[in-house]
């Protein structure tokens, strides 16, 4: 373990270009996936949390269940879609960062949507009577709910980011772990493990952990600033 | 006021983080690229890291290697997800070509398989003359035997030796026979932890860094010969295959330059592959 | 606040045969009411009498199973409700500043009036803390803000559901003074309270509810001197009703 920590430290301070390339791609893929999943998942979650319609209960159960979807299954399903022999094969997406972004988007979309749904629904239950009393229009109500839930939604987005950057099963299938092209932190860890380079694998894991930690520290600072002003 | 300012700040930070991330990638248009579906042993040994820069310098072609087990590599190539295939299961490769998924198959290089196990060798496999003999002993001993169990080239070789020994190890699956369903590296990690025996290709073995108490117990039997083949995915079947680039790669690999480079690649002073293209 | 006196076109209020059942329980059983166009109407009654439910029905937050609520002959509609405001027993404040809460209400009513928002806060002695987060205020401040927010929508009819329950005397005083003031200025106030002294101070007329029924409805003076129903008599004397 100590060896791994030392190695992690040396890797980071040595500014090894390969390492920074891998970190850069990890961040790029996971942040893009997060952006896509948020752009799709936040509105879906908010709408399902805000509105009542037939079949809503089934959709919620479905959304919640999808949160437990194994990454490998997502990777496989996506592979079958974008393989040259699949229905979307002509797009030539397999073994590209784009495919990895799609995979991670699909992976975290249910998390973002389901958690957003819960948060918006709870907040709506709290505000609903007051909104109706104030004759707040439905559109304005939804915007207000999203705005007032923003610090909770940051946590949702972080949960999505955490899952995206940490997953390996999906991106290794659709990305192919190609050196200098689709190799990210997690697939590099898998590769070093398979080479028996356990210390290096753990060192990469530590670097990944530190990145996740930095992102969460940033969010915690944001949230505590909000807490100080009691907007939460 | 403060609130809306900090919100704007947060959004700006998020967007700049995105841009920073996005600027890292490269999708140069018109770049000459081929995808090679390959077995893990060649990748894990570091062979490609040694060969591909030389190939790129000679031809300007970027080779993207997807390293998976031979079984999966064949399946991916069948689907057209690659231009060239480098694997080590000759009969499967010939079937692949016969079924029309690949153009002609050529020998590329070889090395051999070895049986590794705990250095104190509790089942005394090192005394066995042949691989069949060793496997027969392993089936009677107390120590476990781990199998890739993933339809890879190594797994196919292992199964062929069991067959030659007249043993069906899968009936003992879960007792002394452990099917891991894992890659070679993962299998070696597990084998080291369990103090078990397993079959591995020599290149992966030499480059593997977590040997712990494991050592080679059986080697040198002609039946442990490990031939790698190179095949172009059939462009008649998959029109997107970059036939010209793929042919350039295959010609280089099987030609004088590539063959010499394969022979020159060593790890810890040991040559990992012997070129044998015709 | 403007000094313009106005009498709402929505009054008087007439309620006929109101029944409300929630979760299989009959909670309002045949409410008949007539509420005058002016002054402060106080709804009293023991816990569980259905006072808050009645208020919610009047405000259109709950839809009765049977019965009619007519605002000067008009049924409840979006337009009718825009002329009403309500202060709840537990204020629901947005996760934003004090001032933003008032502005939110005005925006919902399409009243964009930056200066008046502050004026409403001043009336509630909240102008100094206009930039503070609303949910960090004390209970009294929160309730005053809820009242300021309600008044900022310039309602003809103001519903108050036990607005001073568990508030300190100072906040209670500000709220009572404001209720008296807006009532005099012409806003109809319908107030639920358990505080007999508060009812004596504010009420022009009293509607007494028990067991989901109206037991009596008369002027405050008459109610406190000589309640006509045994339920009101029990309530005023602090006796538990006999079952």
């Amino acid at each position: 373990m100590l060896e791994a920590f030392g190695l992690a430290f040396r890797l980071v301070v040595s500014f090894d270009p390969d390492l920074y390339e891998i970190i850069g791609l990890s961040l790029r893929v996971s942040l893009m996936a997060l952006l896509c999943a948020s752009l799709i998942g936040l509105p879906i979650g908010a709408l399902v949390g805000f509105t009542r319609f037939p079949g809503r209960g089934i959709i919620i159960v479905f959304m919640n269940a999808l949160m437990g979807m194994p990454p490998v299954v997502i990777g496989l399903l996506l592979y079958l879609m974008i393989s040259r022999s699949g229905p979307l094969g002509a797009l030539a997406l397999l073994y590209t960062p784009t495919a990895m972004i799609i995979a991670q988007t699909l992976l975290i979309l249910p998390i973002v949507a389901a958690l957003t749904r819960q948060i918006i629904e709870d907040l709506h239950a709290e505000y609903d009577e007051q909104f109706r009393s104030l004759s707040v229009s439905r559109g304005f109500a939804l915007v207000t709910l999203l705005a007032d839930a923003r610090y909770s939604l940051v946590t949702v987005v972080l949960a999505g980011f955490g899952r995206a950057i940490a997953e390996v099963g999906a991106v290794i299938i659709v990305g192919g772990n190609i050196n200098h092209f689709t190799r990210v932190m997690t697939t590099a860890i898998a590769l070093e493990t398979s080479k028996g380079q356990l210390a290096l694998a753990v060192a990469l894991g530590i670097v990944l952990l530190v990145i996740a930690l930095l992102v969460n520290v940033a969010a915690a600072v944001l949230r505590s600033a909000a807490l100080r002003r009691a907007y939460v | 006021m403060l609130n809306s300012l900090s919100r704007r700040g947060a959004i700006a930070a998020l967007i700049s983080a995105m841009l920073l991330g996005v600027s890292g990638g490269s999708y140069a248009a018109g770049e000459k690229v081929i995808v090679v579906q390959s077995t893990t042993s060649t990748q894990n040994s570091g062979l490609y890291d040694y060969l591909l820069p030389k190939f790129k310098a000679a031809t300007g072609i970027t080779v993207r290697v997807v390293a998976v087990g031979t079984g999966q590599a064949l399946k991916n190539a069948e689907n057209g997800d690659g231009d060239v295939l480098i694997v080590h299961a000759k009969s499967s490769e010939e079937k692949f070509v016969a079924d029309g998924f690949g153009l002609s198959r050529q020998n590329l290089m070889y090395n051999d398989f070895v049986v590794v196990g705990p250095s104190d060798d509790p089942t005394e496999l090192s005394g066995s003359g042949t691989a069949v003999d060793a496997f027969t002993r392993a089936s009677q001993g107390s120590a476990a035997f781990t199998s890739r169990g993933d339809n890879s080239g190594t797994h196919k070789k292992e199964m062929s030796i069991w067959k030659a020994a007249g043993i069906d190890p899968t009936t003992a699956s879960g007792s002394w026979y452990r099917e891991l369903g894992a890659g070679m590296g993962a299998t070696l990690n597990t084998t080291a932890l369990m103090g078990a025996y397993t079959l591995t290709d020599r290149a992966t073995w030499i480059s593997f860094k977590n040997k712990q108490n494991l050592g080679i117990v059986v080697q040198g039997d002609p039946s442990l010969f490990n031939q790698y083949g190179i095949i172009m995915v059939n462009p008649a079947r998959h029109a997107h295959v970059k036939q010209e680039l793929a042919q350039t790669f295959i010609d280089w690999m099987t030609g004088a330059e590539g063959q010499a480079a394969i022979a020159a690649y060593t790890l810890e002073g040991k040559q990992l592959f012997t070129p044998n293209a015709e | 606040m403007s000094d313009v006196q106005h009498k709402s076109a929505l009054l008087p209020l007439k309620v006929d045969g109101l029944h409300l059942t929630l979760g299989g329980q009959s909670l309002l059983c045949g409410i008949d009411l007539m509420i005058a166009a002016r002054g402060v109407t106080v709804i009293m009654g023991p816990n569980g009498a259905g006072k808050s439910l009645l208020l919610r029905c009047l405000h259109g937050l709950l839809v009765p199973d049977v019965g009619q609520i007519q605002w000067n002959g008009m049924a409840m509609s979006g337009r009718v409700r825009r002329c009403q405001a309500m202060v709840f027993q537990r204020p629901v404040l947005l996760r934003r500043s004090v001032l933003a809460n008032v502005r939110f209400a005005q925006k919902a009513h399409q009243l964009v009036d930056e200066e008046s928002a502050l004026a409403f806060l001043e009336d509630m002695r909240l102008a100094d803390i206009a930039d503070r987060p609303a949910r960090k205020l004390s209970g009294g401040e929160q309730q005053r803000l809820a009242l300021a927010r309600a008044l900022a929508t310039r309602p003809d009819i103001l519903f108050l559901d036990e607005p001073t329950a568990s508030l300190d005397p100072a906040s209670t005083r500000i709220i009572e003074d404001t209720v008296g003031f807006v009532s005099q200025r012409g806003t109809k106030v319908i107030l639920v309270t358990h505080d007999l002294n508060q009812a004596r101070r504010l009420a022009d007329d009293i509607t007494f509810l028990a067991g989901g029924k109206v037991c009596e409805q008369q002027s405050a003076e008459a109610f406190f001197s000589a309640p006509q129903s045994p339920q009101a008599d029990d309530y005023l004397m602090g006796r538990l009703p006999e079952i």
Side-chain angles (χ1 to χ4, degrees):
Chain A
M1 263 322 262
L2 266 182
E3 186 196 350
F5 272 104
L7 194 54
F9 181 73
R10 265 176 282 134
L11 269 177
V12 171
V13 298
S14 71
F15 291 100
D16 176 39
D18 282 1
L19 176 69
Y20 281 86
E21 183 186 52
I22 290 172
I23 292 175
L25 185 66
S26 280
L27 287 174
R28 175 182 155 218
V29 166
S30 294
L31 285 173
M32 280 304 290
L34 187 63
L35 183 70
C36 297
S38 299
L39 286 177
I40 304 166
L42 286 175
I44 288 180
L47 277 175
V48 175
F50 183 65
T51 54
R52 298 288 176 276
F53 52 88
R56 178 174 177 272
I58 294 167
I59 287 184
I60 290 172
V61 169
F62 199 63
M63 270 162 54
N64 290 344
L66 280 179
M67 285 198 287
M69 185 79 144
V72 178
V73 175
I74 301 235
L76 269 176
L77 291 176
L78 184 59
Y79 168 77
L80 292 174
M81 294 297 291
I82 65 177
S83 161
R84 288 290 187 168
S85 301
L88 303 177
L91 298 175
L93 289 173
L94 190 65
Y95 306 136
T96 63
T98 308
M100 300 160 81
I101 291 169
I102 296 171
Q104 291 193 350
T105 301
L106 293 175
L107 184 70
I108 63 178
L109 185 57
I111 296 179
V112 173
L115 296 182
T116 301
R117 196 274 308 165
Q118 188 68 57
I119 285 170
I120 294 298
E121 190 170 319
D122 290 349
L123 195 62
H124 187 214
E126 186 191 331
Y127 282 2
D128 184 44
E129 241 185 5
Q130 186 66 64
F131 278 175
R132 290 197 285 138
S133 172
L134 288 172
S135 301
V136 178
S137 70
R138 288 181 67 73
F140 190 35
L142 184 54
V143 170
T144 306
L145 288 173
L146 283 171
D148 273 29
R150 59 196 178 276
Y151 295 106
S152 302
L153 294 178
V154 166
T155 310
V156 172
V157 168
L158 281 179
F161 179 74
R163 178 135 205 234
I165 195 125
E167 85 70 44
V168 58
V171 288
I172 206 163
I173 293 174
V174 301
N177 191 23
I178 297 167
N179 203 7
H180 301 301
F181 189 56
T182 58
R183 183 163 299 164
V184 290
M185 298 292 290
T186 52
T187 59
I189 291 169
L191 178 65
E192 294 310 330
T193 306
S194 79
K195 288 181 181 171
Q197 305 259 31
L198 300 193
L200 182 55
V202 173
L204 287 169
I206 292 167
V207 173
L208 182 62
L209 198 66
V210 169
I211 292 169
L213 203 65
L214 288 176
V215 171
N216 278 281
V217 164
V221 168
L222 190 71
R223 195 179 166 82
S224 78
L227 264 175
R228 265 200 307 281
R229 303 204 302 268
Y231 284 127
V232 180
Chain B
M1 230 24 206
L2 269 176
N3 167 34
S4 71
L5 272 180
S6 76
R7 180 167 52 204
R8 250 170 256 144
I11 291 169
L14 188 69
I15 289 172
S16 45
M18 294 298 208
L19 292 175
L20 205 70
V22 171
S23 65
S26 61
Y27 286 116
E31 200 186 349
K32 292 193 283 183
V33 176
I34 57 169
V35 171
V36 173
Q37 287 283 351
S38 159
T39 173
T40 46
S41 53
T42 41
Q43 157 121 329
N44 285 10
S45 66
L47 177 67
Y48 293 124
D49 295 335
Y50 177 77
L51 289 183
L52 297 182
K54 293 180 190 297
F55 174 66
K56 171 132 193 185
T59 62
I61 298 170
T62 300
V63 178
R64 291 187 184 145
V65 179
V66 177
V68 289
T70 291
Q72 199 191 331
L74 283 161
K75 185 74 202 152
N76 289 349
E78 268 184 40
N79 288 337
D81 298 321
D83 302 293
V84 175
L85 185 63
I86 298 178
V87 285
H88 62 145
K90 193 169 177 180
S91 59
S92 301
E93 293 162 41
E94 283 166 345
K95 183 170 184 302
F96 179 84
V97 173
D99 290 346
F101 294 111
L103 293 180
S104 67
R105 176 197 171 281
Q106 282 175 268
N107 281 339
L108 178 64
M109 61 196 182
Y110 68 89
N111 59 7
D112 62 343
F113 291 102
V114 294
V115 179
V116 298
S119 49
D120 60 346
D121 195 11
T123 313
E124 295 177 350
L125 295 198
S126 53
S128 44
T130 63
V132 168
D133 185 17
F135 274 40
T136 309
R137 291 192 196 194
S139 72
Q140 291 152 359
S142 57
F145 188 100
T146 55
S147 167
R148 293 274 295 271
D150 64 348
N151 207 25
S152 60
T154 306
H155 184 223
K156 286 173 202 248
K157 169 65 79 175
E158 182 209 317
M159 294 319 289
S160 75
I161 297 171
W162 287 120
K163 198 174 170 194
I167 298 166
D168 180 6
T170 55
T171 56
S173 183
S175 61
W176 62 266
Y177 189 65
R178 306 288 170 87
E179 291 168 288
L180 301 182
M184 194 70 253
T187 300
L188 284 171
N189 281 325
T190 308
T191 306
L193 285 175
M194 286 172 58
Y197 293 95
T198 198
L199 181 74
T200 173
D201 67 282
R202 192 182 288 274
T204 302
W205 173 249
I206 291 173
S207 57
F208 187 69
K209 290 292 187 291
N210 186 33
K211 296 188 176 82
Q212 297 192 24
N213 195 28
L214 292 179
I216 294 176
V217 292
V218 179
Q219 59 183 327
D221 181 343
S223 73
L224 291 176
F225 181 70
N226 181 24
Q227 177 66 51
Y228 290 85
I230 187 164
I231 308 171
M232 189 198 299
V233 177
N234 191 352
R237 191 153 195 133
H238 295 289
H240 60 268
V241 169
K242 293 168 184 153
Q243 187 169 5
E244 199 182 319
L245 302 182
Q247 193 59 55
T248 308
F249 178 64
I250 292 172
D251 290 347
W252 188 87
M253 288 288 276
T254 56
E257 211 180 330
Q259 294 279 295
I262 290 170
Y265 181 59
T266 59
L267 200 64
E268 294 170 5
K270 293 166 191 152
Q271 182 180 341
L272 296 191
F273 300 95
T274 307
N276 69 338
E278 296 86 31
Chain C
M1 257 180 232
S2 105
D3 294 327
V4 182
Q5 271 249 351
H6 56 274
K7 172 185 169 295
S8 174
L10 298 182
L11 291 163
L13 163 66
K14 195 163 178 296
V15 178
D16 277 320
L18 204 66
H19 282 266
L20 178 72
T21 306
L22 289 178
Q25 273 200 303
S26 202
L27 298 170
L28 296 179
C29 337
I31 303 267
D32 296 311
L33 267 184
M34 179 68 105
I35 288 182
R38 296 206 172 258
V40 177
T41 296
V42 170
I43 301 175
M44 302 193 83
N47 289 326
K51 306 180 296 293
S52 295
L53 294 175
L54 175 60
L55 216 56
R56 281 171 165 78
C57 284
L58 298 183
H59 193 28
L61 298 178
L62 286 174
V63 180
D65 305 307
V66 186
Q68 283 196 317
I69 298 170
Q70 291 205 304
W71 298 93
N72 197 16
M74 287 177 286
M76 172 50 78
S77 66
R79 205 180 68 79
V80 168
R81 187 155 60 202
R82 296 183 84 79
C83 301
Q84 307 178 344
M86 181 154 172
V87 174
F88 296 86
Q89 186 175 353
R90 272 193 297 271
V92 177
L93 299 174
L94 301 186
R95 287 151 173 79
R96 357 185 128 180
S97 74
V98 170
L99 186 61
N101 265 275
V102 177
R103 285 204 181 129
F104 172 80
Q106 292 188 316
K107 212 170 154 193
H109 278 248
Q110 272 109 41
L111 299 164
V112 270
D113 190 350
E114 299 272 315
E115 281 168 26
S116 79
L118 254 182
F120 283 109
L121 290 179
E122 257 160 40
D123 291 340
M124 290 294 129
R125 315 273 196 284
L126 293 170
D128 293 344
I129 53 172
D131 285 332
R132 292 255 305 276
R135 297 167 77 91
K136 216 176 183 178
L137 304 184
S138 72
E141 289 166 337
Q142 291 202 11
Q143 196 58 290
R144 273 146 57 199
L145 172 55
L147 181 55
R149 184 173 62 182
L151 293 175
T153 64
R154 304 182 183 282
D156 289 358
I157 292 139
L158 177 64
F159 296 103
L160 298 142
D161 189 0
E162 298 188 45
T164 60
S166 75
L167 295 198
D168 62 25
S171 286
T172 303
R173 174 92 188 267
I174 295 173
I175 288 173
E176 284 186 10
D177 287 352
T178 306
V179 167
F181 175 72
V182 299
S183 161
Q184 274 174 13
R185 213 191 46 196
T187 302
K188 175 70 196 177
V189 175
I190 301 176
L191 167 76
V192 170
T193 184
H194 277 297
D195 183 338
L196 293 179
N197 290 322
Q198 183 171 63
R200 282 199 178 91
R201 284 194 293 271
L202 292 174
D204 292 306
D205 56 276
I206 305 271
T207 297
F208 188 84
L209 246 57
K213 293 191 177 94
V214 176
C215 297
E216 62 178 283
Q217 197 185 8
Q218 56 172 323
S219 75
E221 215 173 315
F223 179 80
F224 286 113
S225 55
Q228 288 169 352
S229 60
Q231 293 96 329
D233 194 43
D234 282 346
Y235 179 81
L236 290 173
M237 300 307 288
R239 285 192 295 262
L240 282 175
E242 287 172 31
I243 299 162

